[in-house]
Amino acid sequence: MKVKGLRWWIIALIGLATVINYVDRSAINILWPYIYKEFGIADVDNKSALALITTFFMIAYALGQTFTGKLMDAIGTRLGMAFSIIAWSVSIALHAFAKSLMSFNIFRFMLGFSEAGNWPGATKSNAEWFPAKERGIAQGIFGAGASLGSVVSAPIIAALYLMFGWKMTFVLIAVLGLIWIIPWLYINKATPDQHPWITEEERNHILAKTEVKEVNAAVDQAPVLTWKELLKFRNTWGIITGRFFIDPVWWLFVTWLPTFLKEQFMFDIKQIGAFTWVPYLFAAIGSLLGGYHASAQIKKGIEPQKARKNAIAVGSVIMLASLVVIVYQLGTLKDTPTLAMVLIGLTLFGFQYLIGNIQTLPSDYFNGKNVGTVAGMGGTAAVAGTLLTTWAVPVITQTSYVSFFVLAAVLVPVSWLCIKYISSKS
């Protein structure tokens, strides 16, 4: 049996895994404003408690990014992705048995470590299944999965909570990941050079019309570098620092948007479910357009690295402009929640426009045996930056959210300067 366009089936499954990933991780942020009192947490302490829960998740996420990056390079994306999603599905189900803040922290740690594998796994898989000129749109599809997961998570989780309560909500969303394993292992039988279903035309297209034996020989001869060796490259530091500064902007909204809406607009959980998905719909569109932008430029003859940097620049400008408007209009936005959602949506649109291209840079600058590792290191740096902003939010939002949006605005140009730092191929 031969399947035309097999690579698109693979990226579709990765996109679906990312949707599930974000449904699972978003559940606590959506439910927390409405369940924290069950654990004896006072109103004044609820944001600090959520920050602590998020810290456990993010520390594990940082460790998991680096570990699973190596795992993907060692055992391949087929088994690596399966291992990750089984582990995080079990972890999210365990949330139903939380009895205290400490047990939540333990289960969030487990979830963060296992969910981290989705990102280096997706980046490595895209490098295997797509030629350079298509990796931008492939990464855009993967990134859209993160946004789509946030779009569907709010109404799904709100509905499950109202029907079944918070404990059963965690159990039911865990089932999604276990179901995903079946088509993933069935369809993703091997890499393109060995997959029995791939057509010869698609195989040659993926390998840029290079003989398979020559490609395999080149990969086999390329050295596998350690973390220490990779840190000697300027390009590694450009990717690491770029993600250190830009990823916290996304996480500011993923973690705190439901709390922001409850405090600023007095939303109940039904309104959270009705409004929270809007910014992430913008983000999903931005992810696809950012990937398309880079791919279109590459097809016109522009070098992949330059095309991706151009797309990153566009996304940065959109983000910065939206955040500046929010800062200056925050006082009046309290009376117009729809406009607030649109401006936040434009911010996340810009983020997703650029982040898929940043995540693709490891496959542009490093050979196949080191792509997953560098992607994982970038993910770890992203989490380190996010931890700092997570700890800051309960302090800077005690009286107003102005500082929250100012912080986000400052991080955008700093990240862009780091990406500009990247130079020649390593």
Side-chain angles (χ1 to χ4, degrees), residues 321-344:
S322 304
L323 288 165
V324 169
V325 173
I326 293 173
V327 169
Y328 279 100
Q329 300 295 325
L330 188 58
T332 60
L333 290 177
K334 292 181 180 180
D335 301 320
T336 54
T338 301
L339 178 59
M341 292 297 95
V342 170
L343 288 171
I344 293 172

Side-chain angles (χ1 to χ4, degrees), residues 33-176:
Y34 308 97
I35 67 172
Y36 66 82
K37 290 183 179 179
E38 293 190 28
F39 301 93
I41 298 170
D43 291 344
V44 69
D45 297 324
N46 96 84
K47 284 197 287 189
S48 296
L50 181 56
L52 181 63
I53 291 172
T54 303
T55 296
F56 271 79
F57 177 89
M58 298 308 294
I59 289 174
Y61 196 69
L63 297 172
Q65 287 271 355
T66 298
F67 172 81
T68 56
K70 275 291 187 184
L71 178 70
M72 298 298 168
D73 284 334
I75 68 173
T77 54
R78 181 177 187 266
L79 294 179
M81 288 287 289
F83 171 83
S84 292
I85 201 164
I86 290 172
W88 91 55
S89 297
V90 172
S91 299
I92 195 64
L94 288 173
H95 283 54
F97 300 95
K99 301 295 184 182
S100 64
L101 184 61
M102 180 53 68
S103 54
F104 257 130
N105 290 336
I106 293 171
F107 298 146
R108 291 306 282 181
F109 188 94
M110 294 169 59
L111 181 69
F113 191 90
S114 51
E115 280 204 335
N118 194 67
W119 268 254
T123 300
K124 182 175 177 62
S125 181
N126 288 348
E128 292 172 342
W129 279 92
F130 290 86
K133 63 183 179 181
E134 290 182 347
R135 286 176 196 160
I137 190 62
Q139 201 74 11
I141 293 171
F142 154 62
S147 303
L148 185 58
S150 297
V151 168
V152 302
S153 61
I156 287 176
I157 291 166
L160 291 175
Y161 170 71
L162 292 170
M163 288 189 291
F164 302 108
W166 67 269
K167 293 183 179 180
M168 186 55 68
T169 297
F170 284 120
V171 173
L172 291 174
I173 61 178
V175 175
L176 298 174

Side-chain angles (χ1 to χ4, degrees), residues 397-415:
T397 61
Q398 289 182 359
T399 58
S400 169
Y401 274 83
V402 171
S403 297
F404 177 96
F405 292 103
V406 169
L407 174 62
V410 169
L411 293 173
V412 175
V414 176
S415 175

Side-chain angles (χ1 to χ4, degrees), residues 28-301:
I28 189 65
N29 301 320
I30 294 167
L31 294 173
W32 186 251
Y34 308 97
I35 67 172
Y36 66 82
K37 290 183 179 179
E38 293 190 28
F39 301 93
I41 298 170
D43 291 344
V44 69
D45 297 324
N46 96 84
K47 284 197 287 189
S48 296
L50 181 56
L52 181 63
I53 291 172
T54 303
T55 296
F56 271 79
F57 177 89
M58 298 308 294
I59 289 174
Y61 196 69
L63 297 172
Q65 287 271 355
T66 298
F67 172 81
T68 56
K70 275 291 187 184
L71 178 70
M72 298 298 168
D73 284 334
I75 68 173
T77 54
R78 181 177 187 266
L79 294 179
M81 288 287 289
F83 171 83
S84 292
I85 201 164
I86 290 172
W88 91 55
S89 297
V90 172
S91 299
I92 195 64
L94 288 173
H95 283 54
F97 300 95
K99 301 295 184 182
S100 64
L101 184 61
M102 180 53 68
S103 54
F104 257 130
N105 290 336
I106 293 171
F107 298 146
R108 291 306 282 181
F109 188 94
M110 294 169 59
L111 181 69
F113 191 90
S114 51
E115 280 204 335
N118 194 67
W119 268 254
T123 300
K124 182 175 177 62
S125 181
N126 288 348
E128 292 172 342
W129 279 92
F130 290 86
K133 63 183 179 181
E134 290 182 347
R135 286 176 196 160
I137 190 62
Q139 201 74 11
I141 293 171
F142 154 62
S147 303
L148 185 58
S150 297
V151 168
V152 302
S153 61
I156 287 176
I157 291 166
L160 291 175
Y161 170 71
L162 292 170
M163 288 189 291
F164 302 108
W166 67 269
K167 293 183 179 180
M168 186 55 68
T169 297
F170 284 120
V171 173
L172 291 174
I173 61 178
V175 175
L176 298 174
L178 299 178
I179 293 174
W180 178 90
I181 293 292
I182 299 170
W184 173 255
L185 294 179
Y186 180 69
I187 294 174
N188 190 18
K189 296 180 181 295
T191 51
D193 56 308
Q194 298 177 347
H195 202 295
W197 292 358
I198 194 170
T199 65
E200 194 63 29
E201 180 183 4
E202 185 174 17
R203 193 196 317 273
N204 290 335
H205 174 76
I206 292 170
L207 300 174
K209 298 182 180 180
T210 304
E211 288 296 326
V212 174
K213 291 182 179 180
E214 294 178 5
V215 172
N216 289 342
V219 172
D220 290 339
Q221 294 171 7
V224 179
L225 303 177
T226 65
W227 292 314
K228 183 177 180 180
E229 290 171 330
L230 287 167
L231 287 173
K232 294 179 181 179
F233 292 108
R234 172 174 175 169
N235 298 336
T236 305
W237 281 104
I239 293 168
I240 287 174
T241 54
R243 295 206 59 190
F244 176 86
F245 289 110
I246 199 63
D247 277 68
V249 180
W250 173 259
W251 282 97
L252 282 171
F253 292 101
V254 168
T255 303
W256 300 106
L257 183 57
T259 301
F260 168 74
L261 294 175
K262 184 174 185 288
E263 292 186 352
Q264 292 291 296
F265 304 121
M266 307 305 293
F267 278 9
D268 59 27
I269 194 164
K270 289 183 179 179
Q271 291 170 308
I272 293 287
F275 273 84
T276 306
W277 63 271
V278 175
Y280 297 107
L281 180 60
F282 277 75
I285 296 170
S287 181
L288 294 172
L289 291 181
Y292 175 79
H293 179 162
S295 293
Q297 287 199 322
I298 293 170
K299 289 178 180 178
K300 292 179 179 179

